[in-house]
Amino acid sequence: MSAHDAAHGNSTPFVEIDRARWAALAPATPQPLSETEVVQLRGLGDMLNLAEVREVYLPLSRLLNLYVAGSRQLHRQTSAFLGEHAETTPFVIGVAGSVAVGKSTIARLLRELLARWEDTPRVELVTTDGFLLPNAELERRGLMERKGFPESYDRRALLRFVSKVKSGAPEVRAPFYSHLSYDIMPDAEIVVRRPDVLIVEGLNVLQPPTTQRGLAVSDLFDFSIYVDARTSDIEKWYIERFLKLQRGAFTNPKSFFHRFAELTEDEAIVRAKEIWHSINEPNLLQNVLPTRPRASLVLRKSSEHAVSSVLLRKI
């Protein structure tokens, strides 16, 4: 039974909150972002605006702020109980969901909102794209058509990275992924230095361990968010985004997808549907969607790309 389906029964671990009630939960939280900043954070096809920030994401940032404070208090009490003085470690948030559902925009927005709280000024965001295997290795393994599926990632490297950040290491480095070249950049990296909060965003971040005794990156999350929508709506958003990219980024001769730039609109729609049905939809249904019940919180989007309700795991 899914989180959403179960929400109407008594056995669900989630409480479902409609948008109006959710928006009223943090009325005194100030709006720290300007309309220009919101537009700059918005991804292709996203309908994010000031009202959405105020009614959905400000209450979410307040809730996360409470979780961070609670985590720190528990850390202090546990250290006192053990008779130790241990430094606070970063609070780690996972953001999962399908391609084109808007999770990258939400992750960027949360980074900005959480950084405005006095007790969490240092917020870092890392996407799991940097932990995709290089294209040459994907080719060698016959996985280029499975890019984005769990097996296309260096999951051990991702686990090592988050483990080091979570342990309080002073400096941790991650590979850098270029969306232009559609590959890992060998001469670039992302450096994370003891943040208050680390946000890890990606398709498969809520995957369970691959072995019974193994550890998954989701085991290191203090809080996790799944961005949800109907599969048919996500397909529509994916095609719309593909068309915008075709008219924009794909026109760059250095783009991996430059070969699509000359397609007519009808041809581009056909190609986008082929990619969706052969790669993105199977990955969503087989690997991404089954992780939804593992989230701490589910943001359900309507066909207009706006959040319609929130499912929060009961404590």
Side-chain angles (χ1 to χ4, degrees):
M1 189 181 290
S2 75
H4 183 250
D5 296 334
H8 303 288
N10 296 322
S11 60
T12 172
F14 290 91
V15 56
E16 185 167 12
I17 306 159
D18 66 39
R19 177 165 171 150
R21 191 157 73 89
W22 176 260
L25 293 178
T29 305
Q31 162 63 285
L33 301 178
S34 67
E35 191 165 2
T36 302
E37 287 173 309
V38 170
V39 170
Q40 288 169 343
L41 289 168
R42 198 160 60 196
L44 274 181
D46 261 334
M47 306 302 289
L48 186 69
N49 55 34
L50 283 173
E52 186 88 352
V53 173
R54 182 177 64 251
E55 295 174 12
V56 177
Y57 297 104
L58 280 180
L60 178 54
S61 81
R62 176 61 181 137
L63 179 69
L64 288 169
N65 180 255
L66 292 173
Y67 270 78
V68 173
S71 175
R72 287 177 173 175
Q73 184 177 11
L74 180 61
H75 178 84
R76 284 193 297 270
Q77 290 174 341
T78 304
S79 296
F81 173 74
L82 295 172
E84 296 175 349
H85 175 70
E87 296 223 10
T88 305
T89 57
F91 189 90
V92 182
I93 300 168
V95 180
S98 172
V99 166
V101 80
K103 64 185 180 304
S104 298
T105 296
I106 290 168
R108 289 193 298 269
L109 176 60
L110 288 176
R111 177 184 61 191
E112 296 305 314
L113 292 175
L114 291 172
R116 309 297 170 105
W117 290 96
E118 284 184 13
D119 46 355
T120 55
R122 293 171 301 154
V123 183
E124 296 280 3
L125 168 60
V126 171
T127 73
T128 57
D129 291 342
F131 295 92
L132 281 161
L133 294 167
N135 285 354
E137 180 61 19
L138 291 173
E139 292 276 12
R140 192 183 72 79
R141 298 188 189 188
L143 292 175
M144 270 306 277
E145 296 301 310
R146 305 272 294 175
K147 200 164 185 176
F149 282 69
E151 62 269 27
S152 66
Y153 293 88
D154 187 342
R155 284 176 281 188
R156 286 184 182 176
L158 175 60
L159 184 61
R160 279 196 304 271
F161 171 81
V162 179
S163 295
K164 285 179 182 176
V165 175
K166 189 69 182 162
S167 70
E171 187 176 281
V172 190
R173 294 169 185 269
F176 179 79
Y177 183 83
S178 166
H179 285 274
L180 186 66
S181 65
Y182 196 58
D183 204 355
I184 301 296
M185 302 298 288
D187 55 349
E189 57 188 2
I190 294 167
V191 183
V192 173
R193 296 182 177 90
R194 295 194 61 124
D196 300 304
V197 177
L198 173 69
I199 300 171
V200 181
E201 178 258 307
L203 291 166
N204 296 299
V205 295
L206 292 180
Q207 286 278 318
T210 52
T211 62
Q212 280 189 322
R213 295 185 180 182
L215 189 70
V217 70
S218 57
D219 294 323
L220 302 173
F221 295 159
D222 297 288
F223 195 94
S224 55
I225 298 164
Y226 185 94
V227 188
D228 194 24
R230 289 186 187 91
T231 303
S232 57
D233 287 334
I234 304 173
E235 178 183 358
K236 180 167 70 79
W237 300 337
Y238 175 77
I239 294 167
E240 289 169 353
R241 189 178 75 173
F242 187 93
L243 292 175
K244 287 178 181 175
L245 286 168
Q246 192 221 3
R247 295 189 291 265
F250 294 174
T251 60
N252 187 326
K254 294 181 180 178
S255 170
F256 180 84
F257 296 105
H258 183 60
R259 62 190 181 279
F260 296 148
E262 299 304 316
L263 297 178
T264 66
E265 184 168 316
D266 287 346
E267 289 169 340
I269 290 170
V270 169
R271 187 69 187 108
K273 285 183 176 180
E274 286 173 355
I275 296 171
W276 173 260
H277 289 298
S278 64
I279 299 173
N280 294 317
E281 186 180 42
N283 193 23
L284 170 60
L285 299 179
Q286 294 166 24
N287 300 305
V288 183
L289 192 55
T291 69
R292 180 176 62 184
R294 293 171 55 81
S296 311
L297 179 141
V298 178
L299 294 171
R300 285 195 61 80
K301 284 190 167 187
S302 68
S303 56
E304 285 78 42
H305 237 307
V307 172
S308 54
S309 66
V310 176
L311 288 96
L312 178 63
R313 186 176 289 276
K314 297 170 185 173
I315 296 177

